[in-house]
Structure formats: C-alpha cells, structure tokens
Amino acid sequence: AAEGAKAAEAAEEGAGRFRVKAAGGCEGEVAAHEAALEQSRTSISLAEARLDEAEAGLAALREAAEAAAAAAEQEFFEPDADDVLEENFPPGRRRFEPRQLTEAEEAAVSEILQPGNLAEKLFEINNTPITRKDIATLKPLEWLNDEVINCFVELLRQHASEAEQAGEPLPKVHIFSSLFYTKLAESPEYTYANVRRWTRRAKVDLFSRDLVIVPINQGNMHWTLGLINLRQKRFEFIDSMHGSDGGRLAVLRRFLEDEHKDKKCAPLDLSDWQDVIYTIADTPHQTNGFDCGMFMSRAAEHLVRGVMVDFTQDDMPDFRRRMILELAQSRLAH
C-alpha cells in the first residue's frame, strides 16, 4: 500500500510537471500570436497611411485636371489683353500651326490630282461621293464647289463630336451645311418652315451649343461665314473680303428667335445680343478672287479647334493640298 501511495504521488508530481510545461508552451504560442497580430496591425496602419496618401494625390490630380479644363475654357472665350486687337474678336486664342505634309502624303495628293475621267468617284464621305471633277476645284486658281465644302463640313462635325465625347476642353459646336442658309433665307425669302426640322433630324439642341457655324454661299459668287455665338451672346460675320453682312446677321437673329419659340415653346429675348462684323484687323484677308471658299472653310476649322483664326493668303496653296488629303482620309489632318 505504501508503495502504491508513493507511485501515485510520483505520477501526480509528473503530471504537475507536464501541466506546467504544457502551460509554458501555450504561453509561448500565445506570445508569438500576439506579436504577429501586432505586426499585422502595424502593416495595416502603414497601408492605411499609404491609401490616404494615394487618395490625397488622386484628389490633387482631379483638382488640377478640373483647373486645366476651366483654364482652357476661359482661354477660348476670354483672351489675354495682349491678344485682343479690338474690342471684338473671334473666339479662340490658342495658335494652331498645321504640320507639313510628309513626302508620302504629298505624293498621294499629287496622284489624286492626276488627269482622268472627271465623273470618276474617288472617295465618299457620309454617303456623298467625291468625284475627280470635285477634287479639281481644289487645284490652284479654282473656286471650291458645294460638294467639297459640305464634305469638309462633315469632317468638322466628326472632329467636334469626337472631341466632345473625349471630354476635350473645346467649344461645343454645331455646323450647318451650305444649303441651310439658302433654304432659310433665299427660297426666295426668309422661310423658317424650310429648316424647322433640321436640328430635330440632327438630334441637336442649338441652345446647348457654344457656337453655331453657318457657311453662306452669297449668290454662288462668294463664300462667307455666319456665327451664332451663344456663349458670348453675339451674331458674328466673317468675310475674307471684309464686306458688309448684307442683312445676314438679322436673318440669323430671326432664325434663333423662331428656333427657340418652336423648340422651347417660349420667346427668346435677344435685346442684349451684339452684331459683330469682323474687320481686316480681326480676321484673315483674301487678296485674290478665288480663295474665298478655302478662307471660309479654314476659318470654320479653326473655330472648331478652338484656335485663333490667324492664317494668311500665303497659306492657301498648302491648305488646298491638305484638304485633298483630309477628304481622301475622311478626317482632319493633325
């Protein structure tokens, strides 16, 4: 019995030592887990700090982008004092210098201008065919015809639409074809009903635009440009020969009133809108009798791009070849 008691005591002592050892082992594991947890907390704190820093950087980038867009919009509509030649000026204050065509592009233009069947269709833009006869009007000393003008207008529309969809800080523009003004004012007199559906078919609200550009073919003899500048509340007239508007701004004013009454079902007060006829000090001047169509088209392009209308007569030969390339490629050249 005594021996049995001693054996039990020894077993209990061993069990006690085992429990102490086991407890010590668990304490070590707990300490290790606590250390790992503390390390994880430190890592999380560092990650949160980095996340806060990244979010602050992103917010700064967004603010800078918004400021840049606002500055670009202000630059378009509010030029620096040094840029203003007179009280009135066309929209757009950034300069645009078209790049020179490459040798390959020049060769392609020369190939297009080769003699051939004048009825041959060379390319097509928005279901409008461009024939060799049409392209021949882009040779030196020739008047541009309506087909060339309107196909170029389509390229301007395309460029404006792509820029707007991309969020570029350019003016929101709508451009009518050369037929618009004739239908509106010369059939044989002012008739709003002739163009009443034009904006509905184009799915455009003119009053959401900054600029409305109206090419005008004056008596099949001279091309000019009318502008409805909704942002600055002005009706504007650009003529490369710098003549009178001949009452055309009054026509555009009457059209805008009728358009607002028809589409918005309310009268439009234009009493504080100005009429602006640009002078030779404001816009490029033509010095021959056949480049008016090119002057008008390039003025429209510069307005769409939001840049200064500041080219010269010397640019016309290059502009003609450039337009051939643009029509062939169905997009404006960069």
Side-chain angles (χ1 to χ4, degrees):
E3 292 179 359
K6 289 180 180 179
E9 289 177 2
E12 181 63 29
E13 183 180 352
R17 286 197 299 270
F18 177 78
R19 283 195 292 269
V20 171
K21 183 178 181 181
C26 289
E27 288 174 359
E29 290 183 11
V30 168
H33 282 301
E34 287 178 345
L37 180 60
E38 186 62 30
Q39 185 176 3
S40 297
R41 288 188 180 123
T42 302
S43 298
I44 290 172
S45 296
L46 290 173
E48 288 176 341
R50 292 193 184 102
L51 180 59
D52 291 341
E53 184 179 350
E55 288 178 342
L58 182 59
L61 287 174
R62 284 177 179 151
E63 185 177 347
E66 290 172 358
E73 182 173 330
Q74 183 178 14
E75 179 182 17
F76 176 77
F77 289 105
E78 302 293 342
D80 294 334
D82 292 341
D83 287 330
V84 181
L85 299 178
E86 294 190 355
E87 180 181 357
N88 295 318
F89 50 87
R93 290 292 92 183
R94 293 181 295 109
R95 293 192 178 277
F96 172 63
E97 295 185 8
R99 66 170 177 81
Q100 295 295 313
L101 301 187
T102 66
E103 290 186 10
E105 289 170 337
E106 288 285 6
V109 170
S110 296
E111 180 64 25
I112 292 170
L113 288 172
Q114 289 298 309
N117 181 358
L118 293 179
E120 177 187 359
K121 184 175 79 170
L122 298 179
F123 22 83
E124 184 176 291
I125 296 176
N126 195 30
N127 299 320
T128 300
I130 297 292
T131 66
R132 195 174 295 278
K133 179 180 179 181
D134 298 323
I135 287 298
T137 69
L138 284 164
K139 292 180 178 180
L141 312 182
E142 298 290 341
W143 289 354
L144 275 62
N145 67 9
D146 284 79
E147 285 73 21
V148 166
I149 294 288
N150 286 320
C151 282
F152 188 71
V153 163
E154 189 59 36
L155 300 189
L156 296 181
R157 286 178 182 152
Q158 174 183 309
H159 183 87
S161 176
E162 290 174 355
E164 186 170 349
Q165 290 174 13
E168 296 183 27
L170 297 180
K172 294 179 176 63
V173 174
H174 181 69
I175 313 171
F176 285 112
S177 77
S178 67
L179 299 177
F180 171 80
Y181 188 86
T182 301
K183 288 282 189 182
L184 173 66
E186 300 173 353
S187 298
E189 59 186 6
Y190 179 91
T191 309
Y192 173 72
N194 288 347
V195 298
R196 178 173 174 266
R197 298 185 183 88
W198 281 50
T199 53
R200 184 173 289 116
R201 285 201 302 263
K203 298 180 180 179
V204 62
D205 175 7
L206 291 190
F207 302 95
S208 70
R209 305 289 85 188
D210 296 316
L211 285 175
V212 178
I213 300 176
V214 183
I216 301 173
N217 186 349
Q218 298 183 189
N220 287 322
M221 294 293 292
H222 184 51
W223 288 99
T224 58
L225 201 61
L227 302 178
I228 302 175
N229 187 335
L230 289 106
R231 181 63 179 267
Q232 292 175 301
K233 294 186 176 182
R234 300 200 309 219
F235 297 95
E236 303 165 311
F237 187 69
I238 297 179
D239 177 4
S240 55
M241 300 295 284
H242 296 98
S244 165
D245 75 307
R248 292 174 178 85
L249 293 186
V251 169
L252 296 183
R253 181 181 288 265
R254 184 176 176 184
F255 162 73
L256 195 63
E257 290 175 331
D258 287 342
E259 180 75 0
H260 195 274
K261 187 182 300 182
D262 182 64
K263 303 302 188 297
K264 304 297 183 179
C265 301
L268 178 64
D269 181 11
L270 298 177
S271 59
D272 59 342
W273 283 53
Q274 293 180 314
D275 287 351
V276 178
I277 301 174
Y278 290 115
T279 70
I280 195 170
D282 307 309
T283 54
H285 184 64
Q286 176 186 347
T287 59
N288 60 31
F290 45 80
D291 274 328
C292 57
M294 188 58 62
F295 270 84
M296 183 276 291
S297 298
R298 291 306 180 186
E301 178 198 2
H302 280 56
L303 291 167
V304 167
R305 291 183 183 272
V307 297
M308 295 176 69
V309 184
D310 63 349
F311 49 83
T312 70
Q313 179 70 61
D314 292 339
D315 294 315
M316 294 303 111
D318 287 340
F319 279 179
R320 284 176 175 266
R321 294 183 68 83
R322 182 184 176 90
M323 187 176 287
I324 293 171
L325 179 70
E326 290 168 324
L327 293 174
Q329 295 180 340
S330 294
R331 66 183 305 106
L332 295 184
H334 297 295

